[in-house]
Amino acid sequence: EADIYQTPRYLVIGTGKKITLECSQTMGHDKMYWYQQDPGMELHLIHYSYGVNSTEKGDLSSESTVSRIRTEHFPLTLESARPSHTSQYLCASSEFNEQYFGPGTRLTVT
Amino acid sequence: AQSVTQLDSHVSVSEGTPVLLRCNYSSSYSPSLFWYVQHPNKGLQLLLKYTSAATLVKGINGFEAEFKKSETSFHLTKPSAHMSDAAEYFCVVSGLAGDMRFGAGTRLTVKP
């Protein structure tokens, strides 16, 4: 069983608020990823990191930002949430080309 | 660049009948291929992976997939569907840098 955690699991927040989605893994993986997934749709990579102090934007443009100060921690921040940010956000870490996923955060912006 | 196409957005089977979820891939080199399953309100779970060893790959819960290079396919099968198999299934191809491309997903419905 992979040890990757995301909090909160569900979040409902008003427009304009700043939010941070937490992602932590205890496996010591260098590579970590954030995906965005709308209901019933495919996953889109929005950010990834190959290690501490490394962050890159993914295929899908996102207004969110990420940081990687510690190997185990890869938080995602939205400075000003909008209804268009309503989605599910999945965090993953990988080793040897196999990705392990967290349970996801379902975000609703009202 | 690599990509995957899942040929069916929705598959419906009766309990006890075979399951076939189809996936074609495109890659300019020998790819690594994966099937993930996502149950409602859950994260993604790895079912099985192909990494250039045996072409027939066995996974968890009785699923298996066969890598066919000549057909650029990696279809997922199970001999007998169970109600608990109802979920969303994603075919994934991995590139040399470890980046992964997800298919659009196939929703499997299992009827009693």
Side-chain angles (χ1 to χ4, degrees):
Chain A
E1 183 88 10
D3 295 320
I4 181 163
Y5 309 98
Q6 290 186 245
T7 56
R9 291 291 312 278
Y10 302 92
L11 178 63
V12 180
I13 200 164
T15 298
K17 299 289 187 183
K18 177 180 178 179
I19 58 172
T20 296
L21 308 184
E22 302 288 348
C23 176
S24 296
Q25 51 99 359
T26 59
M27 296 169 284
H29 292 167
D30 286 325
K31 297 179 183 176
M32 295 190 73
Y33 309 81
W34 275 103
Y35 293 88
Q36 185 174 340
Q37 183 188 27
D38 291 326
M41 303 295 285
E42 63 201 278
L43 279 73
H44 294 284
L45 181 67
I46 52 174
H47 298 285
Y48 61 97
S49 167
Y50 285 162
V52 171
N53 294 327
S54 152
T55 61
E56 301 287 345
K57 290 188 178 296
D59 303 324
L60 181 68
S61 176
S62 173
E63 295 167 344
S64 59
T65 59
V66 292
S67 63
R68 189 86 183 277
I69 299 173
R70 304 197 315 266
T71 298
E72 62 271 22
H73 195 213
F74 191 41
L76 180 146
T77 298
L78 277 165
E79 290 293 332
S80 179
R82 297 208 304 265
S84 60
H85 297 139
T86 294
S87 188
Q88 174 159 254
Y89 294 84
L90 290 165
C91 180
S93 69
S94 77
E95 184 179 52
F96 307 126
N97 271 2
E98 180 174 334
Q99 292 197 1
Y100 300 88
F101 285 83
T105 294
R106 189 170 297 278
L107 172 66
T108 302
V109 183
T110 60
Chain B
Q2 62 277 0
S3 65
V4 290
T5 301
Q6 291 183 244
L7 301 174
D8 307 291
S9 60
H10 186 211
V11 170
S12 181
V13 301
S14 297
E15 189 174 21
T17 64
V19 176
L20 170 64
L21 305 183
R22 298 181 296 164
C23 173
N24 286 351
Y25 71 91
S26 172
S27 179
S28 53
Y29 39 78
S30 185
S32 294
L33 292 158
F34 308 78
W35 276 99
Y36 281 86
V37 60
Q38 185 179 34
H39 287 93
N41 299 316
K42 300 280 189 181
L44 277 78
Q45 181 185 18
L46 178 66
L47 273 180
L48 50 81
K49 63 179 177 181
Y50 166 78
T51 55
S52 74
T55 56
L56 182 62
V57 182
K58 293 189 183 296
I60 62 172
N61 301 334
F63 284 94
E64 61 182 39
E66 186 172 7
F67 174 73
K68 291 187 177 180
K69 186 175 181 179
S70 60
E71 299 177 10
T72 61
S73 68
F74 189 58
H75 301 335
L76 182 70
T77 60
K78 183 174 181 178
S80 176
H82 191 270
M83 296 297 291
S84 61
D85 295 328
E88 188 90 16
Y89 292 79
F90 292 93
C91 182
V92 183
V93 63
S94 176
L96 291 175
D99 54 307
M100 301 180 87
R101 295 288 185 267
F102 283 75
T106 298
R107 183 172 301 277
L108 175 65
T109 301
V110 182
K111 297 175 290 186

